[in-house]
Coordinates of all heavy atoms in Angstrom, one line a residue:
M1 N 21.3 2.0 -12.1 CA 20.8 1.2 -11.0 C 20.4 -0.2 -11.5 O 20.2 -0.4 -12.6 CB 19.6 1.9 -10.4 CG 19.9 2.6 -9.2 SD 18.5 3.1 -8.3 CE 17.5 4.0 -9.4
G2 N 20.2 -1.1 -10.6 CA 19.8 -2.4 -10.9 C 20.8 -3.3 -11.4 O 22.0 -3.2 -11.1
G3 N 20.5 -4.2 -12.3 CA 21.4 -5.0 -12.9 C 21.9 -6.1 -12.1 O 22.2 -6.0 -10.9
S4 N 21.8 -7.3 -12.6 CA 22.3 -8.5 -11.9 C 23.8 -8.5 -11.8 O 24.5 -8.3 -12.8 CB 21.8 -9.8 -12.5 OG 22.3 -10.9 -11.9
G5 N 24.4 -8.5 -10.7 CA 25.9 -8.6 -10.6 C 26.4 -7.3 -9.9 O 27.6 -7.3 -9.6
G6 N 25.7 -6.3 -9.8 CA 26.1 -5.2 -8.9 C 26.4 -3.8 -9.6 O 27.3 -3.1 -9.2
S7 N 25.6 -3.5 -10.6 CA 25.8 -2.1 -11.1 C 25.1 -1.1 -10.2 O 24.3 -1.5 -9.4 CB 25.2 -2.0 -12.5 OG 23.8 -2.3 -12.5
S8 N 25.4 0.1 -10.3 CA 24.8 1.1 -9.4 C 24.5 2.4 -10.2 O 25.0 2.6 -11.3 CB 25.6 1.4 -8.2 OG 26.9 1.9 -8.6
G9 N 23.9 3.4 -9.5 CA 23.7 4.6 -10.2 C 22.9 5.6 -9.3 O 22.5 5.3 -8.2
T10 N 22.8 6.8 -9.8 CA 22.0 7.9 -9.1 C 21.1 8.5 -10.1 O 21.4 8.7 -11.2 CB 23.0 8.9 -8.6 OG1 24.1 8.3 -8.0 CG2 22.4 9.8 -7.5
T11 N 19.9 8.8 -9.6 CA 18.9 9.5 -10.5 C 18.3 10.7 -9.8 O 18.0 10.7 -8.7 CB 17.8 8.5 -10.9 OG1 17.1 8.1 -9.7 CG2 18.3 7.3 -11.6
G12 N 18.0 11.7 -10.7 CA 17.2 12.9 -10.2 C 17.6 13.4 -8.8 O 18.8 13.5 -8.5
K13 N 16.6 13.6 -8.0 CA 16.8 14.2 -6.7 C 17.1 13.1 -5.7 O 17.3 13.4 -4.5 CB 15.6 15.0 -6.3 CG 14.3 14.2 -6.1 CD 13.2 15.1 -5.6 CE 12.0 14.3 -5.3 NZ 10.9 15.1 -4.7
Y14 N 17.0 11.9 -6.0 CA 17.3 10.8 -5.1 C 18.8 10.4 -5.2 O 19.3 10.3 -6.3 CB 16.4 9.6 -5.4 CG 14.9 9.9 -5.2 CD1 14.1 9.9 -6.3 CD2 14.4 10.3 -4.0 CE1 12.8 10.2 -6.2 CE2 13.1 10.6 -3.9 CZ 12.3 10.6 -5.0 OH 10.9 10.9 -4.9
D15 N 19.4 10.2 -4.0 CA 20.7 9.7 -4.0 C 20.7 8.3 -3.5 O 20.7 8.0 -2.3 CB 21.6 10.6 -3.1 CG 23.0 10.3 -3.1 OD1 23.5 9.5 -4.0 OD2 23.8 10.8 -2.2
V16 N 20.7 7.3 -4.4 CA 20.6 5.9 -4.0 C 21.4 5.0 -4.9 O 21.6 5.3 -6.1 CB 19.1 5.5 -4.1 CG1 18.5 5.7 -5.5 CG2 18.9 4.1 -3.6
T17 N 21.9 4.0 -4.4 CA 22.6 3.0 -5.1 C 22.0 1.6 -4.8 O 21.9 1.2 -3.7 CB 24.1 2.9 -4.8 OG1 24.7 4.3 -5.0 CG2 24.9 2.0 -5.6
V18 N 21.7 0.9 -5.9 CA 21.1 -0.4 -5.7 C 22.1 -1.4 -6.4 O 22.4 -1.3 -7.6 CB 19.8 -0.6 -6.4 CG1 19.3 -2.0 -6.4 CG2 18.7 0.4 -5.8
T19 N 22.6 -2.3 -5.6 CA 23.6 -3.3 -6.1 C 22.9 -4.7 -5.8 O 22.1 -4.8 -4.8 CB 25.0 -3.2 -5.4 OG1 24.8 -3.3 -4.0 CG2 25.6 -1.9 -5.8
R20 N 23.3 -5.7 -6.5 CA 22.8 -7.0 -6.3 C 23.9 -8.0 -6.1 O 25.0 -7.9 -6.7 CB 21.9 -7.4 -7.5 CG 20.6 -6.6 -7.5 CD 19.7 -7.1 -8.6 NE 18.5 -6.4 -8.6 CZ 17.4 -6.8 -8.0 NH1 17.3 -8.0 -7.4 NH2 16.2 -6.1 -8.1
T21 N 23.7 -9.0 -5.2 CA 24.6 -10.0 -5.0 C 24.6 -11.0 -6.2 O 23.7 -10.8 -7.1 CB 24.3 -10.8 -3.8 OG1 23.1 -11.5 -3.9 CG2 24.3 -9.9 -2.5
T22 N 25.4 -11.9 -6.3 CA 25.4 -12.9 -7.4 C 24.1 -13.7 -7.4 O 23.7 -14.3 -8.4 CB 26.6 -13.8 -7.4 OG1 26.7 -14.4 -6.1 CG2 27.9 -13.1 -7.6
F23 N 23.5 -13.8 -6.2 CA 22.2 -14.5 -6.1 C 21.0 -13.6 -6.4 O 19.8 -14.0 -6.3 CB 22.0 -15.1 -4.7 CG 23.0 -16.2 -4.5 CD1 24.0 -16.0 -3.5 CD2 22.9 -17.4 -5.1 CE1 24.9 -17.0 -3.3 CE2 23.8 -18.4 -4.9 CZ 24.8 -18.2 -3.9
G24 N 21.3 -12.3 -6.8 CA 20.2 -11.4 -7.1 C 19.6 -10.6 -6.0 O 18.6 -9.9 -6.2
I25 N 20.1 -10.7 -4.8 CA 19.6 -10.1 -3.6 C 19.9 -8.6 -3.7 O 21.1 -8.2 -3.7 CB 20.1 -10.7 -2.3 CG1 19.6 -12.1 -2.3 CG2 19.6 -9.9 -1.1 CD1 20.3 -13.0 -1.2
P26 N 18.9 -7.7 -3.7 CA 19.3 -6.3 -3.8 C 19.8 -5.7 -2.4 O 19.3 -6.0 -1.3 CB 17.9 -5.6 -4.1 CG 16.9 -6.5 -3.6 CD 17.5 -7.9 -3.7
H27 N 20.8 -4.8 -2.5 CA 21.3 -4.1 -1.4 C 21.1 -2.6 -1.8 O 21.7 -2.1 -2.8 CB 22.8 -4.4 -1.1 CG 22.9 -5.8 -0.6 ND1 23.0 -6.1 0.7 CD2 23.0 -7.0 -1.2 CE1 23.1 -7.4 0.9 NE2 23.1 -8.0 -0.3
I28 N 20.4 -1.8 -0.9 CA 20.1 -0.5 -1.2 C 20.8 0.4 -0.2 O 20.7 0.3 1.0 CB 18.5 -0.3 -1.1 CG1 17.8 -1.2 -2.0 CG2 18.2 1.2 -1.4 CD1 16.4 -1.4 -1.7
K29 N 21.6 1.4 -0.8 CA 22.3 2.3 0.0 C 21.8 3.7 -0.4 O 21.9 4.1 -1.6 CB 23.8 2.2 -0.3 CG 24.6 3.2 0.6 CD 26.1 3.0 0.3 CE 26.9 4.0 1.1 NZ 28.4 3.9 0.8
A30 N 21.3 4.4 0.6 CA 20.7 5.7 0.3 C 21.0 6.7 1.4 O 21.4 6.4 2.5 CB 19.1 5.6 0.3
T31 N 20.9 8.0 1.1 CA 21.3 9.1 2.0 C 20.1 9.6 2.8 O 20.3 10.3 3.8 CB 21.9 10.3 1.2 OG1 21.0 10.7 0.2 CG2 23.2 9.9 0.5
D32 N 18.9 9.3 2.4 CA 17.7 9.7 3.2 C 16.6 8.7 2.9 O 16.7 7.8 2.1 CB 17.3 11.1 2.8 CG 17.1 11.3 1.3 OD1 16.4 10.5 0.7 OD2 17.7 12.3 0.7
F33 N 15.5 8.9 3.6 CA 14.4 8.0 3.5 C 13.7 8.0 2.2 O 13.2 7.0 1.6 CB 13.3 8.2 4.6 CG 13.8 7.7 6.0 CD1 14.0 8.6 7.0 CD2 14.0 6.3 6.2 CE1 14.4 8.1 8.2 CE2 14.4 5.8 7.4 CZ 14.7 6.7 8.4
G34 N 13.6 9.2 1.5 CA 13.0 9.3 0.2 C 13.8 8.5 -0.8 O 13.2 7.8 -1.6
S35 N 15.1 8.6 -0.7 CA 16.0 7.9 -1.6 C 15.9 6.4 -1.3 O 15.9 5.5 -2.3 CB 17.4 8.3 -1.5 OG 17.6 9.7 -1.8
L36 N 15.8 6.0 -0.1 CA 15.6 4.6 0.3 C 14.3 4.0 -0.3 O 14.3 2.9 -0.9 CB 15.6 4.4 1.8 CG 15.5 3.0 2.3 CD1 16.7 2.2 1.9 CD2 15.4 3.1 3.9
G37 N 13.2 4.8 -0.2 CA 12.0 4.4 -0.7 C 12.0 4.2 -2.3 O 11.5 3.3 -2.8
Y38 N 12.7 5.1 -2.9 CA 12.9 5.0 -4.4 C 13.7 3.8 -4.7 O 13.3 3.1 -5.7 CB 13.6 6.3 -4.9 CG 13.8 6.3 -6.4 CD1 12.8 6.8 -7.2 CD2 14.9 5.8 -7.0 CE1 12.9 6.8 -8.6 CE2 15.1 5.8 -8.3 CZ 14.1 6.3 -9.1 OH 14.2 6.2 -10.5
G39 N 14.8 3.5 -4.0 CA 15.6 2.3 -4.3 C 14.8 1.1 -4.1 O 14.9 0.1 -4.8
Y40 N 14.0 1.0 -3.0 CA 13.2 -0.2 -2.7 C 12.2 -0.4 -3.8 O 12.0 -1.5 -4.3 CB 12.5 0.0 -1.3 CG 11.6 -1.1 -1.0 CD1 12.1 -2.3 -0.5 CD2 10.2 -1.0 -1.2 CE1 11.3 -3.4 -0.2 CE2 9.4 -2.1 -0.9 CZ 9.9 -3.3 -0.4 OH 9.1 -4.3 -0.1
G41 N 11.5 0.7 -4.2 CA 10.5 0.6 -5.3 C 11.1 0.1 -6.6 O 10.6 -0.7 -7.3
Y42 N 12.3 0.6 -6.9 CA 13.0 0.3 -8.1 C 13.4 -1.2 -8.1 O 13.1 -1.9 -9.1 CB 14.3 1.1 -8.2 CG 15.0 0.9 -9.5 CD1 14.7 1.8 -10.6 CD2 16.0 -0.1 -9.7 CE1 15.4 1.6 -11.8 CE2 16.6 -0.2 -10.9 CZ 16.3 0.6 -12.0 OH 17.0 0.5 -13.1
A43 N 13.9 -1.7 -7.0 CA 14.3 -3.1 -6.9 C 13.1 -4.0 -6.9 O 13.0 -5.0 -7.6 CB 15.1 -3.4 -5.6
F44 N 12.0 -3.6 -6.2 CA 10.7 -4.3 -6.2 C 10.2 -4.4 -7.6 O 9.7 -5.5 -8.1 CB 9.7 -3.7 -5.3 CG 8.4 -4.5 -5.2 CD1 8.3 -5.5 -4.3 CD2 7.4 -4.2 -6.0 CE1 7.1 -6.2 -4.2 CE2 6.2 -4.9 -5.9 CZ 6.1 -5.9 -5.0
A45 N 10.2 -3.3 -8.4 CA 9.6 -3.3 -9.7 C 10.4 -4.2 -10.6 O 9.9 -4.9 -11.5 CB 9.6 -1.9 -10.3
E46 N 11.8 -4.2 -10.5 CA 12.6 -5.1 -11.3 C 12.2 -6.6 -11.1 O 12.2 -7.4 -12.0 CB 14.1 -4.9 -10.9 CG 14.7 -3.8 -11.6 CD 16.2 -3.8 -11.4 OE1 16.7 -4.2 -10.3 OE2 16.9 -3.3 -12.3
D47 N 12.0 -6.9 -9.8 CA 11.7 -8.3 -9.4 C 10.3 -8.7 -9.6 O 10.0 -9.9 -9.8 CB 12.1 -8.6 -8.0 CG 13.6 -8.4 -7.8 OD1 14.4 -8.4 -8.7 OD2 14.0 -8.2 -6.6
N48 N 9.3 -7.8 -9.5 CA 7.9 -8.2 -9.4 C 7.0 -7.4 -10.3 O 5.8 -7.2 -10.0 CB 7.4 -8.0 -8.0 CG 8.2 -8.8 -7.0 OD1 8.1 -10.0 -7.0 ND2 9.0 -8.2 -6.2
L49 N 7.5 -6.9 -11.5 CA 6.7 -6.1 -12.3 C 5.3 -6.7 -12.8 O 4.3 -6.1 -12.7 CB 7.5 -5.6 -13.5 CG 6.8 -4.5 -14.4 CD1 6.5 -3.3 -13.6 CD2 7.6 -4.2 -15.6
C50 N 5.4 -8.0 -13.1 CA 4.2 -8.7 -13.5 C 3.2 -8.8 -12.4 O 2.0 -8.6 -12.6 CB 4.5 -10.0 -14.1 SG 5.4 -9.9 -15.7
V51 N 3.6 -9.1 -11.2 CA 2.8 -9.3 -10.0 C 2.2 -7.9 -9.7 O 1.0 -7.8 -9.5 CB 3.6 -9.8 -8.8 CG1 2.7 -9.8 -7.6 CG2 4.1 -11.2 -9.1
L52 N 3.0 -6.9 -9.7 CA 2.5 -5.5 -9.5 C 1.4 -5.1 -10.5 O 0.4 -4.5 -10.1 CB 3.7 -4.5 -9.5 CG 3.4 -3.1 -9.2 CD1 3.0 -3.0 -7.7 CD2 4.7 -2.3 -9.4
Q53 N 1.6 -5.4 -11.8 CA 0.7 -5.0 -12.8 C -0.6 -5.8 -12.7 O -1.7 -5.3 -12.8 CB 1.3 -5.3 -14.2 CG 0.4 -4.8 -15.3 CD 0.0 -3.3 -15.3 OE1 0.9 -2.5 -14.9 NE2 -1.2 -3.0 -15.7
E54 N -0.5 -7.1 -12.3 CA -1.7 -7.9 -12.1 C -2.6 -7.4 -11.0 O -3.8 -7.3 -11.0 CB -1.4 -9.4 -11.9 CG -2.6 -10.2 -11.8 CD -2.3 -11.7 -11.7 OE1 -1.2 -12.1 -11.7 OE2 -3.3 -12.5 -11.6
D55 N -1.9 -7.0 -9.9 CA -2.6 -6.4 -8.7 C -3.3 -5.1 -9.1 O -4.4 -4.8 -8.7 CB -1.7 -6.2 -7.5 CG -1.2 -7.5 -6.9 OD1 -1.8 -8.5 -7.1 OD2 -0.3 -7.4 -6.1
L56 N -2.6 -4.3 -9.9 CA -3.2 -3.0 -10.3 C -4.4 -3.2 -11.2 O -5.4 -2.5 -11.0 CB -2.1 -2.2 -11.1 CG -2.5 -0.8 -11.6 CD1 -2.9 0.1 -10.4 CD2 -1.5 -0.2 -12.4
V57 N -4.3 -4.1 -12.1 CA -5.5 -4.4 -13.0 C -6.6 -5.0 -12.1 O -7.8 -4.6 -12.4 CB -5.1 -5.4 -14.1 CG1 -6.3 -5.9 -14.8 CG2 -4.1 -4.7 -15.1
T58 N -6.3 -5.8 -11.1 CA -7.4 -6.3 -10.3 C -8.1 -5.2 -9.5 O -9.3 -5.1 -9.5 CB -6.8 -7.4 -9.3 OG1 -6.2 -8.4 -10.1 CG2 -7.8 -7.9 -8.4
I59 N -7.3 -4.4 -8.8 CA -7.9 -3.3 -8.0 C -8.6 -2.3 -8.8 O -9.6 -1.7 -8.3 CB -6.8 -2.7 -7.1 CG1 -6.3 -3.8 -6.1 CG2 -7.3 -1.5 -6.3 CD1 -5.1 -3.4 -5.3
R60 N -8.3 -2.1 -10.0 CA -9.0 -1.2 -10.9 C -10.3 -1.8 -11.4 O -11.1 -1.2 -12.1 CB -8.1 -0.7 -12.1 CG -7.1 0.3 -11.7 CD -6.4 0.7 -12.9 NE -5.5 1.8 -12.6 CZ -4.6 2.3 -13.4 NH1 -4.5 1.9 -14.7 NH2 -3.8 3.3 -13.1
G61 N -10.5 -3.1 -11.2 CA -11.7 -3.8 -11.7 C -11.6 -4.0 -13.2 O -12.7 -3.9 -13.8
E62 N -10.5 -4.3 -13.7 CA -10.3 -4.5 -15.2 C -9.8 -5.8 -15.6 O -9.2 -6.0 -16.6 CB -9.4 -3.3 -15.7 CG -10.0 -2.0 -15.5 CD -9.1 -0.8 -16.0 OE1 -7.9 -1.1 -16.1 OE2 -9.6 0.3 -16.1
R63 N -9.9 -6.8 -14.7 CA -9.4 -8.2 -15.0 C -10.0 -8.7 -16.3 O -9.4 -9.3 -17.2 CB -9.5 -9.1 -13.9 CG -8.6 -8.9 -12.7 CD -8.6 -10.0 -11.7 NE -8.1 -11.2 -12.3 CZ -6.9 -11.6 -12.3 NH1 -6.0 -10.8 -11.7 NH2 -6.5 -12.7 -12.8
S64 N -11.3 -8.6 -16.4 CA -12.1 -9.2 -17.6 C -11.6 -8.5 -18.8 O -11.5 -9.1 -19.9 CB -13.6 -9.0 -17.4 OG -14.0 -9.7 -16.3
K65 N -11.4 -7.2 -18.8 CA -11.0 -6.4 -19.9 C -9.6 -6.9 -20.5 O -9.5 -7.1 -21.7 CB -10.9 -5.0 -19.6 CG -10.4 -4.0 -20.7 CD -10.4 -2.6 -20.2 CE -10.0 -1.7 -21.3 NZ -9.9 -0.3 -20.8
Y66 N -8.7 -7.2 -19.6 CA -7.3 -7.6 -20.1 C -7.0 -9.0 -20.0 O -6.1 -9.5 -20.7 CB -6.3 -6.8 -19.2 CG -6.3 -5.3 -19.5 CD1 -6.9 -4.5 -18.5 CD2 -5.9 -4.8 -20.7 CE1 -6.9 -3.1 -18.7 CE2 -5.9 -3.4 -20.9 CZ -6.5 -2.6 -19.9 OH -6.5 -1.2 -20.1
M67 N -7.7 -9.8 -19.2 CA -7.4 -11.2 -19.0 C -8.6 -12.1 -19.4 O -8.5 -13.4 -19.2 CB -7.0 -11.5 -17.6 CG -5.7 -10.7 -17.2 SD -5.3 -10.9 -15.5 CE -4.1 -9.6 -15.3
G68 N -9.7 -11.6 -19.9 CA -10.8 -12.4 -20.4 C -11.8 -12.7 -19.3 O -11.5 -12.7 -18.1
T69 N -13.0 -12.8 -19.8 CA -14.2 -13.0 -18.8 C -14.2 -14.4 -18.3 O -14.8 -14.7 -17.2 CB -15.5 -12.8 -19.5 OG1 -15.6 -13.6 -20.7 CG2 -15.6 -11.3 -20.0
Q70 N -13.5 -15.4 -18.9 CA -13.6 -16.8 -18.4 C -12.4 -17.1 -17.4 O -12.4 -18.2 -16.8 CB -13.5 -17.7 -19.6 CG -14.5 -17.6 -20.6 CD -15.9 -17.8 -20.1 OE1 -16.2 -18.7 -19.3 NE2 -16.8 -16.9 -20.4
G71 N -11.5 -16.1 -17.2 CA -10.4 -16.4 -16.3 C -10.7 -16.3 -14.9 O -11.8 -15.8 -14.5
S72 N -9.8 -16.7 -14.1 CA -9.9 -16.6 -12.6 C -8.5 -16.5 -12.0 O -7.5 -16.7 -12.7 CB -10.6 -17.8 -12.0 OG -9.9 -19.0 -12.3
Y73 N -8.5 -16.3 -10.7 CA -7.2 -16.2 -10.0 C -7.4 -16.6 -8.6 O -8.5 -16.6 -8.0 CB -6.6 -14.8 -10.1 CG -7.3 -13.7 -9.3 CD1 -6.9 -13.3 -8.1 CD2 -8.5 -13.2 -9.8 CE1 -7.6 -12.3 -7.4 CE2 -9.2 -12.2 -9.2 CZ -8.7 -11.8 -7.9 OH -9.4 -10.8 -7.3
T74 N -6.4 -17.0 -7.9 CA -6.4 -17.5 -6.5 C -5.6 -16.5 -5.7 O -4.5 -16.2 -6.0 CB -5.9 -18.9 -6.4 OG1 -6.7 -19.8 -7.2 CG2 -6.0 -19.4 -5.0
I75 N -6.2 -16.1 -4.6 CA -5.5 -15.3 -3.6 C -4.8 -16.4 -2.6 O -5.5 -17.0 -1.8 CB -6.4 -14.4 -2.8 CG1 -7.1 -13.5 -3.8 CG2 -5.7 -13.6 -1.7 CD1 -8.3 -12.7 -3.2
V76 N -3.6 -16.6 -2.8 CA -2.9 -17.7 -2.1 C -3.0 -17.7 -0.6 O -3.3 -18.7 0.0 CB -1.4 -17.8 -2.6 CG1 -0.6 -18.9 -1.9 CG2 -1.3 -18.0 -4.1
P77 N -2.8 -16.5 0.1 CA -2.8 -16.6 1.5 C -4.1 -17.1 2.2 O -4.0 -17.7 3.2 CB -2.5 -15.1 1.9 CG -1.8 -14.5 0.8 CD -2.4 -15.2 -0.4
N78 N -5.2 -16.8 1.5 CA -6.5 -17.3 2.1 C -7.2 -18.4 1.3 O -8.2 -18.9 1.6 CB -7.5 -16.2 2.4 CG -7.9 -15.4 1.1 OD1 -7.7 -15.9 0.0 ND2 -8.6 -14.3 1.4
G79 N -6.6 -18.7 0.1 CA -7.1 -19.8 -0.7 C -8.4 -19.5 -1.4 O -9.0 -20.5 -2.0
V80 N -8.8 -18.3 -1.6 CA -10.0 -17.9 -2.3 C -9.7 -17.9 -3.8 O -8.7 -17.3 -4.2 CB -10.5 -16.6 -1.8 CG1 -11.7 -16.1 -2.7 CG2 -11.0 -16.7 -0.4
T81 N -10.6 -18.5 -4.6 CA -10.5 -18.3 -6.0 C -11.6 -17.5 -6.5 O -12.8 -17.8 -6.1 CB -10.5 -19.7 -6.7 OG1 -9.3 -20.5 -6.2 CG2 -10.4 -19.6 -8.2
A82 N -11.4 -16.5 -7.3 CA -12.4 -15.6 -7.8 C -12.3 -15.6 -9.3 O -11.2 -15.5 -9.9 CB -12.2 -14.2 -7.2
D83 N -13.5 -15.6 -10.0 CA -13.5 -15.4 -11.4 C -13.4 -13.9 -11.7 O -13.6 -13.0 -10.9 CB -14.8 -16.0 -12.0 CG -16.0 -15.2 -11.6 OD1 -16.6 -15.6 -10.5 OD2 -16.4 -14.3 -12.3
N84 N -12.9 -13.6 -12.9 CA -12.6 -12.2 -13.2 C -13.8 -11.3 -13.2 O -13.7 -10.1 -12.8 CB -11.9 -12.1 -14.6 CG -10.5 -12.7 -14.6 OD1 -9.9 -12.9 -13.6 ND2 -10.0 -13.0 -15.8
V85 N -14.9 -11.7 -13.7 CA -16.1 -10.9 -13.7 C -16.6 -10.5 -12.3 O -16.9 -9.4 -12.0 CB -17.3 -11.6 -14.5 CG1 -18.6 -10.7 -14.4 CG2 -16.9 -11.8 -15.9
T86 N -16.6 -11.5 -11.4 CA -17.0 -11.2 -10.0 C -16.0 -10.3 -9.3 O -16.4 -9.4 -8.6 CB -17.1 -12.6 -9.2 OG1 -18.1 -13.4 -9.9 CG2 -17.6 -12.3 -7.8
S87 N -14.8 -10.6 -9.6 CA -13.7 -9.7 -9.0 C -13.9 -8.3 -9.5 O -13.8 -7.3 -8.7 CB -12.3 -10.2 -9.4 OG -11.3 -9.3 -9.0
D88 N -14.1 -8.1 -10.8 CA -14.3 -6.7 -11.3 C -15.5 -6.0 -10.7 O -15.4 -4.8 -10.3 CB -14.5 -6.8 -12.8 CG -13.2 -7.2 -13.6 OD1 -12.1 -7.2 -13.0 OD2 -13.3 -7.4 -14.8
F89 N -16.6 -6.8 -10.5 CA -17.8 -6.2 -9.9 C -17.4 -5.7 -8.4 O -17.8 -4.6 -8.0 CB -18.9 -7.2 -9.9 CG -20.1 -6.7 -9.2 CD1 -21.0 -5.8 -9.8 CD2 -20.4 -7.1 -7.9 CE1 -22.1 -5.3 -9.2 CE2 -21.5 -6.6 -7.3 CZ -22.4 -5.7 -7.9
F90 N -16.8 -6.6 -7.7 CA -16.4 -6.3 -6.3 C -15.6 -5.0 -6.2 O -15.9 -4.1 -5.5 CB -15.7 -7.5 -5.6 CG -15.1 -7.1 -4.3 CD1 -15.9 -7.0 -3.2 CD2 -13.8 -6.8 -4.2 CE1 -15.4 -6.7 -2.0 CE2 -13.2 -6.4 -3.0 CZ -14.1 -6.4 -1.8
W91 N -14.5 -5.0 -7.0 CA -13.6 -3.8 -6.9 C -14.2 -2.6 -7.4 O -14.0 -1.5 -6.9 CB -12.3 -4.2 -7.6 CG -11.5 -5.1 -6.8 CD1 -11.2 -6.4 -7.0 CD2 -10.8 -4.8 -5.6 NE1 -10.5 -7.0 -6.1 CE2 -10.2 -6.0 -5.1 CE3 -10.7 -3.7 -4.8 CZ2 -9.4 -6.1 -4.0 CZ3 -9.9 -3.7 -3.6 CH2 -9.3 -4.9 -3.2
K92 N -15.0 -2.6 -8.5 CA -15.7 -1.4 -9.0 C -16.7 -0.9 -8.0 O -16.9 0.3 -7.8 CB -16.4 -1.7 -10.3 CG -15.5 -1.9 -11.5 CD -14.9 -0.6 -11.9 CE -14.1 -0.7 -13.2 NZ -13.5 0.5 -13.7
F93 N -17.3 -1.8 -7.2 CA -18.3 -1.4 -6.3 C -17.7 -0.9 -5.0 O -18.2 0.1 -4.4 CB -19.2 -2.6 -6.0 CG -20.3 -2.4 -4.9 CD1 -21.4 -1.6 -5.2 CD2 -20.2 -2.9 -3.6 CE1 -22.4 -1.3 -4.3 CE2 -21.1 -2.6 -2.7 CZ -22.2 -1.8 -3.0
S94 N -16.6 -1.6 -4.5 CA -16.1 -1.2 -3.2 C -15.0 -0.2 -3.2 O -14.8 0.5 -2.2 CB -15.7 -2.5 -2.5 OG -14.6 -3.1 -3.2
A95 N -14.2 -0.1 -4.2 CA -13.1 0.8 -4.3 C -13.4 2.1 -5.0 O -12.7 2.5 -5.9 CB -11.9 0.1 -4.9
T96 N -14.4 2.8 -4.5 CA -14.8 4.1 -5.0 C -14.2 5.2 -4.2 O -13.8 5.0 -3.1 CB -16.4 4.2 -5.0 OG1 -16.8 4.2 -3.6 CG2 -17.0 3.1 -5.8
D97 N -14.2 6.4 -4.8 CA -13.6 7.5 -4.1 C -14.4 7.8 -2.8 O -13.9 8.1 -1.7 CB -13.7 8.8 -4.9 CG -12.7 8.8 -6.1 OD1 -11.7 8.0 -6.0 OD2 -12.9 9.5 -7.0
A98 N -15.8 7.6 -2.8 CA -16.6 7.8 -1.7 C -16.3 6.8 -0.6 O -16.2 7.2 0.6 CB -18.0 7.8 -2.0
A99 N -16.1 5.6 -0.9 CA -15.8 4.6 0.1 C -14.4 4.8 0.7 O -14.2 4.6 1.9 CB -15.8 3.2 -0.5
I100 N -13.4 5.2 -0.1 CA -12.1 5.4 0.4 C -12.0 6.7 1.3 O -11.4 6.7 2.3 CB -11.1 5.5 -0.8 CG1 -11.0 4.1 -1.4 CG2 -9.7 6.0 -0.3 CD1 -10.3 4.1 -2.8
N101 N -12.7 7.8 0.8 CA -12.7 9.0 1.6 C -13.4 9.0 2.9 O -13.2 9.8 3.8 CB -13.2 10.2 0.7 CG -12.2 10.5 -0.4 OD1 -11.0 10.3 -0.3 ND2 -12.8 11.0 -1.5
A102 N -14.4 8.0 3.0 CA -15.2 7.9 4.2 C -14.4 7.4 5.4 O -14.8 7.5 6.5 CB -16.4 7.0 4.0
R103 N -13.2 6.9 5.2 CA -12.4 6.3 6.3 C -11.6 7.3 6.9 O -11.0 8.1 6.9 CB -11.7 5.1 5.8 CG -12.6 4.1 5.4 CD -12.0 2.9 4.9 NE -13.1 2.0 4.5 CZ -13.2 0.8 4.8 NH1 -12.3 0.2 5.6 NH2 -14.1 0.0 4.4

């Protein structure tokens, strides 16, 4: 699967083929929704692995641990800039099992 230029493949229980145009646009062909989701996730991870990892570290409240206490980041859609320590505090406080299960 994947590959720039149009390679394809099948894995495990999913029947999916991901091909890419010469511009890198993924085309996903699948036999069911599970396979489609797998193909979409695969193509997304190929294109956005660093973004995905940064979001994961942020939501786990571990930005200071991996990116330093002096760092910061900007949430582009709303223009908010948060330092890593404040962000970690917010996510550790608000993204608890109790808060998530209460909804």
Side-chain angles (χ1 to χ4, degrees):
M1 260 195 303
S4 181
S7 63
S8 62
T10 315
T11 61
K13 66 178 184 174
Y14 299 113
D15 187 11
V16 60
T17 303
V18 176
T19 56
R20 291 185 178 265
T21 66
T22 55
F23 293 111
I25 299 168
H27 291 264
I28 304 162
K29 183 178 179 184
T31 57
D32 55 51
F33 285 116
S35 298
L36 180 63
Y38 182 87
Y40 176 80
Y42 187 92
F44 183 87
E46 280 188 324
D47 295 342
N48 300 293
L49 188 58
C50 291
V51 174
L52 184 64
Q53 184 62 34
E54 184 175 359
D55 288 346
L56 182 63
V57 168
T58 299
I59 294 170
R60 286 184 173 175
E62 297 177 342
R63 286 189 67 88
S64 297
K65 179 178 179 180
Y66 294 106
M67 299 176 193
T69 58
Q70 302 301 315
S72 65
Y73 68 103
T74 302
I75 302 168
V76 178
N78 63 10
V80 171
T81 299
D83 65 273
N84 291 344
V85 174
T86 303
S87 173
D88 290 347
F89 177 79
F90 170 79
W91 285 108
K92 288 285 188 183
F93 178 74
S94 63
T96 64
D97 288 340
I100 293 168
N101 291 332
R103 296 181 185 228

